[in-house]
Amino acid sequence: MESSTTTSYSVVSELEGTLLKTPKPFAYFMLVAFEASGLIRYTLLLFLWPIIALLDVLGYRNGSLKLMIFVATAGLRESEIESVARAVLPKFYMDDISMNAWRVFGSCEKRVVVTRMPRVMVERFAKDHLRADEVIGTEIIVNRFGYATGLIKESDVDRSVFNSVANLFTDRRPQLGLGRPVISGSQTFLSLCEEQVHAPVPSNYNVQRLHVQLLPVIFHDGRLVKLPTPATALLILLWIPLGIVLAVVRLFVGSMLPLWAIPYVSRIFNIRFTVKGKPPAGNLGVLFVCTHRTVMDPVILSYVLGRSIPAVTYSVSRLSEILSPIPTFRLTRVRHVDAEIIKKELSNGDLVVYPEGTTCREPFLLRFSALFAELTDKIVPVAMNYRVGFFHATTARGWKAFDPIFFFMNPRPVYEVTFLNQLEVEATCSSGKSPYDVANYVQRILAATLGFECTNFTRKDKYRVLAGNDGTVSYSSFLDQFKKVVATIKPFFK
């Protein structure tokens, strides 16, 4: 039964194929396999896809689901699965949202999401972004050491979901149910609902008002850019060995050539630099205030300027500092100490700063630190952005030293650099403006140039969401670095 309007108090909605446009969860298990474990588990799950698809066609939906869960999670720490669900999956879920289904779901006061996927993979996204009150899904069995066995507690998933919904609504049946039409004779949660709307939800299903707003995903992690559907996952797998070779060649050639020659030679290796605006000439103690997208930002800026511009850094790895082709100076996060460092380097010539303090992948700018505005009036805002096809060049959970490699593993990376005019004296602290006003002004004009939105989020907000820490990278010995490399590679051999 379908109606034109709804004033429902409670709604129970299926995630796969309803709130999400994609009906099959295979790609999300591929993400867990790759991000929580590594390439071997990712490859194994991909090779099993024909069997999983055949089980679905033959009507063994429970069997195909259990096989995906086992291969993707067996032997992983529960905390690692939770980390991927918190930092990686929400971005891909959000990109797949059906807005028609969301409008109906968000118009109800009590909202419940049901899914065949493990609850741990869905709950964070459903509650934080879809604003769900409850999430019902399968439960992974975890041993006493905190490792997932790959098995689930439910033998019949649909029956378990049905019972969970019935137990949740003991006083009154849910008024609205959103879900896919029942193909088999099995009983689903929809039969418990007073009104049923089958996916895809029609666009003319009107709602009176939204009780909650869909919250965007501002911070996300993980190396994969595209959702690894079977075809995309196979393409990525075939590209990885070629990408590694290409990255090594690109890095080697880049280290051998002078900076001014890089933009011209890069075309041979399918790397594109798009430069707009007119940068200031010479080395006059100008402070380039840039948006921060990847660890490559200061290097790319030096490439397009044709000369080495020192940069101050916040939380890059020690190895990245050693391998950097330009001078870098680590800030201490102690305000007066950092101010002295920046003043000293500006006295020697031009300098690059990133007031956001960390990278952000989405079209948002984090809050700008006002420190740079206190130290000089020679401020040139620079809007930087990049586009890649397969791999992200930033990470909060992984090893940051691999960021340049992942950037150059992309088939056709593109960097866009836009130089804005140097700030007029009237727009700086010399005219009596506060450093915070100057910083906010620079943030606004850079956001307008890129088509981004300004936010008040900070580096600490990002790392607390993605990694559970404040984002500080401490100095460490070679042995510590080696141990971290081993820890990074170890999952590939599980």
Side-chain angles (χ1 to χ4, degrees), residues 193-226:
C193 304
E194 295 177 6
E195 180 184 355
Q196 301 176 17
V197 178
H198 290 154
V201 176
S203 59
N204 62 351
Y205 193 98
N206 297 319
V207 296
Q208 287 190 342
R209 66 184 180 89
L210 290 177
H211 281 278
V212 292
Q213 295 296 323
L214 186 66
L215 295 184
V217 175
I218 297 178
F219 303 122
H220 63 94
D221 202 24
R223 290 296 190 182
L224 296 183
V225 173
K226 300 180 182 296

Side-chain angles (χ1 to χ4, degrees), residues 9 31 108 240 255 349 419:
Y9 169 77
L31 285 169
C108 300
I240 285 176
S255 66
F419 293 94

Side-chain angles (χ1 to χ4, degrees), residues 272-311:
R272 297 291 183 266
F273 299 112
T274 301
V275 182
K276 300 177 182 178
K278 185 177 180 180
N283 191 16
L284 307 175
V286 168
L287 186 64
F288 293 96
V289 179
C290 306
T291 57
H292 201 7
R293 308 306 283 175
T294 79
V295 72
M296 295 295 297
D297 289 344
V299 178
I300 300 299
L301 184 64
S302 293
Y303 286 166
V304 300
L305 289 174
R307 53 194 173 89
S308 179
I309 308 294

Side-chain angles (χ1 to χ4, degrees), residues 7 74 87 94 99 161 180 208 260 292 338 476 478 482:
T7 56
M94 186 63 73
M99 293 309 298
V161 168
R180 290 172 289 179
Q208 287 190 342
W260 61 267
H292 201 7
D338 292 343
S476 55
F478 175 78
F482 178 75

